[in-house]
Amino acid sequence: MLLPVLPVLLLFATASAFAQTPALWWKGNLHTHSLWSDGDDYPEMIAAWYAAHGYHFLALSDHNVLSDHERWIPIEKNKGGAAAFEKYVARFGRPWVEERETGGVREVRLKMLSEFRGKFEQPGQFLMIQAEEITDNFIKVPIHIGAINVREVIKPQGGQSIVETMENNLAALDEQRTRTGVPMFAHLNHPNFRWALTAEEMAQVDRERFFEVYNGHPMTSTDGDEHHASTDRIWDVILTARLGQLGKSVVFGVATDDAHNYHTADPTKSLSGRGWVMVRALALTPEKLVAAMEAGDFYASSGVTLRDVRRDARGLSVEIEAEPGVTYTTEFFGTRKGFDPKNEVVLGKEGATLRTTRRYGADVGAVLAKVTGPSASYAFKGDELYVRARITSSKPKSNPSAEGEVERAWTQPAVRQ
């Protein structure tokens, strides 16, 4: 196995719980699917790819299931089929690969996380985190939530509204965390998948702390369209409502692959390596990673690497690991106190009101500053509800999910105390 390179040791000053403490950057993917649900490859094959491509942690997050029990599936009639099985045998061989015949059908046993994690995990190098994508709905509106570092499967909780359904599932995770004493968290997944969730709905959820600002699946519409807000715009509406009107906590943004397809390079498929988080933590353990993320000591990326991020009482600053010949533009987004809250519904082509994020004026998520170059900073003026940064490079993404996509990174919002 090719081991990822250890991240560079950094000294940093942030508003997080780790201020003035040496820590490391760890790269990880929190949203990935295998043959345990609707992915098309075996979990060991997927883990091997991430371990060999510079990642330090991986969460396999299959729909409404944990890989913690015995399960046999047909070899030919699954999403990977015979071709995936042949690759699996070639990579791991027998007796690791277990095969049987039942009623004339050849079957293979899917390995449990407890069985295969030892093939890849190494202290300070690579870590597997148990996860699940809680897959719920309200009247056909898909509500998917990534549950990270869970001990037990969380069944979809349902609810009497979209907001209540989100809240009930997040409450189930909080109950498990309290009962087990194990640190875990949840992130709301791909709000623009089938145009499922609006910013206004997400803003109301008391327990919401994380959501996917970037999802690498081509069907998740990260950039929105003429009638639907981008996830960047959704984030600003959420932050403005929660911090400026509802008195709720800040929401952090994550980037993920949402990978399902491992045997193709077709850009219309959901491929590995498109989105990830870089977490600055004291050690590569679930406890330290969760603590760092809950403190906002991480950034989301689809390609841009940051050397440093500083969020403190003075403002927000970034230092970019610049590549030769690539230009970088950092935009600082924020909403000021006393913003104009007026908004309007969005009308479809036939004049009907769409159930989508409403349209707000330029006060909400305004571009407070724009800087070109390998470093950028924003000093608080004193009236900002929050400030966050998005770094956009001129480098085309090598593994795009949309035409014309370039590499980006997103910092977490800084809030002046």
Side-chain angles (χ1 to χ4, degrees):
M1 178 181 70
L2 295 175
L3 296 177
V5 178
L6 276 174
V8 177
L9 184 66
L10 295 171
L11 294 175
F12 62 93
T14 75
S16 78
F18 308 123
Q20 305 298 331
T21 304
L24 299 170
W25 286 115
W26 309 100
K27 180 179 181 179
N29 182 34
L30 298 170
H31 190 169
T32 324
H33 295 278
S34 75
L35 282 167
W36 276 91
S37 62
D38 58 348
D40 67 6
D41 212 351
Y42 296 85
E44 305 98 298
M45 298 291 284
I46 298 166
W49 188 94
Y50 281 93
H53 283 79
Y55 287 74
H56 301 101
F57 63 94
L58 171 66
L60 292 172
S61 54
D62 283 303
H63 296 281
N64 295 335
V65 67
L66 297 180
S67 55
D68 62 354
H69 55 280
E70 183 170 302
R71 183 177 178 187
W72 293 80
I73 64 171
I75 289 174
E76 283 83 14
K77 293 184 178 181
N78 65 59
K79 288 185 177 294
F85 179 75
E86 291 170 5
K87 294 178 185 178
Y88 181 43
V89 173
R91 174 67 173 79
F92 291 98
R94 295 183 173 85
W96 178 261
V97 177
E98 298 178 69
E99 182 182 350
R100 74 181 185 186
E101 186 171 310
T102 302
V105 177
R106 293 173 62 217
E107 296 180 329
V108 58
R109 187 169 79 84
L110 294 179
K111 297 293 185 178
M112 295 181 281
L113 176 61
S114 60
E115 295 177 290
F116 70 81
R117 68 190 315 163
K119 283 185 171 290
F120 307 100
E121 289 189 325
Q122 293 191 32
Q125 293 284 346
F126 192 75
L127 174 71
M128 298 292 300
I129 298 177
Q130 184 164 253
E132 170 198 358
E133 185 169 14
I134 307 169
T135 307
D136 209 339
N137 69 85
F138 176 76
I139 311 179
K140 297 185 179 181
V141 173
I143 300 171
H144 296 187
I145 296 174
I148 309 302
N149 203 39
V150 290
R151 303 296 92 182
E152 306 158 1
V153 70
I154 297 175
K155 296 181 179 179
Q157 300 295 299
Q160 298 303 307
S161 69
I162 291 173
V163 172
E164 185 178 297
T165 301
M166 288 189 279
E167 195 74 70
N168 288 348
N169 284 290
L170 294 173
L173 180 134
D174 284 351
E175 184 280 329
Q176 185 179 134
R177 176 173 180 161
T178 299
R179 175 168 46 82
T180 64
V182 174
M184 56 187 72
F185 70 93
H187 54 83
L188 293 174
N189 291 347
H190 42 58
N192 280 346
F193 174 56
R194 298 180 185 170
W195 311 118
L197 305 176
T198 70
E200 292 82 8
E201 291 163 344
M202 295 167 68
Q204 296 177 57
V205 181
D206 287 329
R207 298 173 189 270
E208 181 184 359
R209 293 293 309 283
F210 302 86
F211 92 112
E212 288 182 341
V213 66
Y214 178 90
N215 178 295
H217 197 304
M219 294 176 62
T220 58
S221 304
T222 293
D223 292 330
D225 66 11
E226 61 178 321
H227 295 121
H228 301 87
S230 68
T231 51
D232 256 297
R233 185 60 174 167
I234 286 172
W235 197 3
D236 285 313
V237 174
I238 292 171
L239 290 169
T240 300
R242 290 175 73 91
L243 300 175
Q245 297 172 315
L246 302 176
K248 298 184 186 298
S249 64
V250 71
V251 171
F252 299 132
V254 304
T256 69
D257 279 345
D258 195 0
H260 291 70
N261 307 116
Y262 306 94
H263 307 285
T264 179
D266 183 349
T268 66
K269 302 298 184 180
S270 58
L271 309 179
S272 300
R274 283 176 168 163
W276 55 88
V277 290
M278 295 294 294
V279 184
R280 186 158 47 185
L282 296 172
L284 184 61
T285 66
E287 296 77 16
K288 297 300 185 185
L289 293 172
V290 171
M293 292 193 68
E294 291 188 322
D297 211 358
F298 71 101
Y299 67 90
S301 180
S302 66
V304 172
T305 300
L306 303 182
R307 181 181 292 115
D308 195 14
V309 181
R310 292 187 295 276
R311 300 159 54 245
D312 55 33
R314 295 169 295 180
L316 172 62
S317 63
V318 298
E319 294 181 15
I320 302 162
E321 194 73 54
E323 296 184 39
V326 179
T327 59
Y328 299 87
T329 301
T330 300
E331 296 168 283
F332 292 95
F333 296 92
T335 301
R336 300 185 184 279
K337 298 174 183 177
F339 67 93
D340 184 354
K342 287 189 296 186
N343 58 80
E344 59 184 26
V345 299
V346 179
L347 302 179
K349 293 180 179 179
E350 299 180 359
T353 299
L354 298 179
R355 194 190 68 78
T356 188
T357 298
R358 298 168 73 94
R359 291 202 172 113
Y360 296 78
D363 281 4
V364 174
V367 178
L368 304 177
K370 183 182 291 188
V371 180
T372 300
S375 62
S377 62
Y378 180 90
F380 284 125
K381 307 299 187 292
D383 62 347
E384 300 91 346
L385 293 173
Y386 69 93
V387 177
R388 67 180 183 88
R390 182 182 69 191
I391 302 91
T392 302
S393 81
S394 62
K395 183 180 178 181
K397 189 166 173 57
S398 61
N399 182 16
S401 60
E403 187 176 352
E405 184 179 0
V406 294
E407 295 183 343
R408 283 180 166 171
W410 296 261
T411 75
Q412 303 314 315
V415 178
R416 186 177 184 182
Q417 303 298 325

